[in-house]
């Protein structure tokens, strides 16, 4: 297998996305009214489900489909994106509210440490059951890189009283 990269003499040209070539793509998604939970889950959870604890930080985003992305860490430096997609994205609001509260409390307590607020230090552990999916993007030099995102099916958080609360639902297969 030939890999593209700056150190490979047989490297392929930079990825098409990085060259910003305009290619017309057809949207092959079904209309929302025709999407069943089974069909949705078959598209989202294509690989084996895993269970792991992820420390989420209060850094949120949305993609073009309206899915919620939250930055998290699976170890000290292993940053990932956790994606709450499809019908599960409506259930993530309590989690984003909790993360926002943690951020606000840190700001109010003066948690800037003199050098600015480091959002990556504000972490909230969440037990997540989901599937890993690759995401391809381009680096600063225009070479294609591969990252992994964790698509959440179910997640478990502790409420203020220390009770475990589960959100999401198992994938329908």
């Amino acid at each position: 297998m030939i890999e593209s990269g700056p150190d490979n003499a047989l490297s392929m040209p930079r990825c098409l996305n990085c060259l910003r070539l305009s290619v017309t793509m057809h949207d092959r998604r079904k209309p929302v009214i025709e999407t069943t939970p089974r069909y949705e889950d078959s598209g989202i959870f294509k690989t084996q489900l895993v269970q792991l604890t992820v420390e989420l930080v209060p850094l949120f985003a949305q993609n073009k489909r309206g899915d919620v992305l939250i930055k998290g860490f699976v170890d000290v430096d292993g940053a990932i994106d956790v994606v709450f997609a499809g019908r599960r994205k409506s259930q993530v609001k309590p989690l984003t509210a909790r993360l926002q509260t943690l951020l606000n409390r840190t700001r109010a307590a003066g948690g800037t440490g003199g050098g600015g607020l480091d959002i990556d230090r504000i972490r909230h552990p969440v037990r997540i059951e989901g599937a890993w999916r690759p995401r391809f993007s381009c680096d600063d030099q225009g070479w294609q890189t591969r990252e992994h995102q964790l698509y959440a099916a179910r997640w478990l958080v502790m409420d203020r009283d220390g009770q475990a609360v589960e959100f999401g639902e198992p994938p329908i297969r």
Side-chain angles (χ1 to χ4, degrees):
M1 179 172 164
I2 299 175
E3 294 189 19
S4 61
D7 298 330
N8 189 342
L10 299 174
S11 66
M12 303 294 289
R14 296 179 183 195
C15 70
L16 295 178
N17 292 333
C18 301
L19 295 176
R20 300 193 193 322
L21 295 177
S22 61
V23 178
T24 305
M25 299 292 287
H26 297 287
D27 187 1
R28 296 183 292 165
R29 288 183 279 171
K30 284 186 176 184
V32 174
I33 195 78
E34 294 178 21
T35 304
T36 64
R38 180 182 304 277
Y39 180 80
E40 179 182 83
D41 286 352
S42 70
I44 295 173
F45 303 102
K46 296 179 180 185
T47 60
Q48 177 100 15
L49 292 179
V50 296
Q51 292 185 4
L52 67 154
T53 300
V54 179
E55 292 182 325
L56 298 178
V57 298
L59 191 60
F60 324 112
Q62 282 192 333
N63 61 16
K64 292 178 185 176
R65 295 181 182 205
D67 301 332
V68 177
L69 286 78
I70 302 177
K71 183 178 180 181
F73 291 88
V74 290
D75 55 31
V76 176
D77 294 321
I80 62 166
D81 286 331
V82 180
V83 182
F84 299 87
R87 65 188 181 280
R88 293 168 181 86
K89 63 187 166 194
S90 63
Q91 297 180 37
V92 78
K93 290 177 184 174
L95 180 57
T96 57
R98 169 72 65 90
L99 290 168
Q100 189 64 49
T101 300
L102 287 173
L103 177 61
N104 294 341
R105 285 183 185 163
T106 303
R107 284 181 176 153
T112 61
L117 183 63
D118 184 5
I119 291 181
D120 287 351
R121 292 184 174 267
I122 305 169
R123 298 186 181 192
H124 182 64
V126 177
R127 186 77 178 160
I128 297 176
E129 178 182 43
W132 291 105
R133 299 256 315 260
R135 178 181 179 269
F136 296 95
S137 61
C138 299
D139 64 14
D140 295 339
Q141 288 78 37
W143 297 104
Q144 193 172 44
T145 59
R146 181 172 144 168
E147 302 167 345
H148 283 87
Q149 295 177 319
L150 180 63
Y151 276 72
R154 294 190 290 184
W155 55 100
L156 187 71
V157 295
M158 299 301 230
D159 66 10
R160 291 185 179 122
D161 300 326
Q163 298 295 318
V165 181
E166 185 176 297
F167 295 92
E169 56 189 74
I172 301 171
R173 299 205 175 210

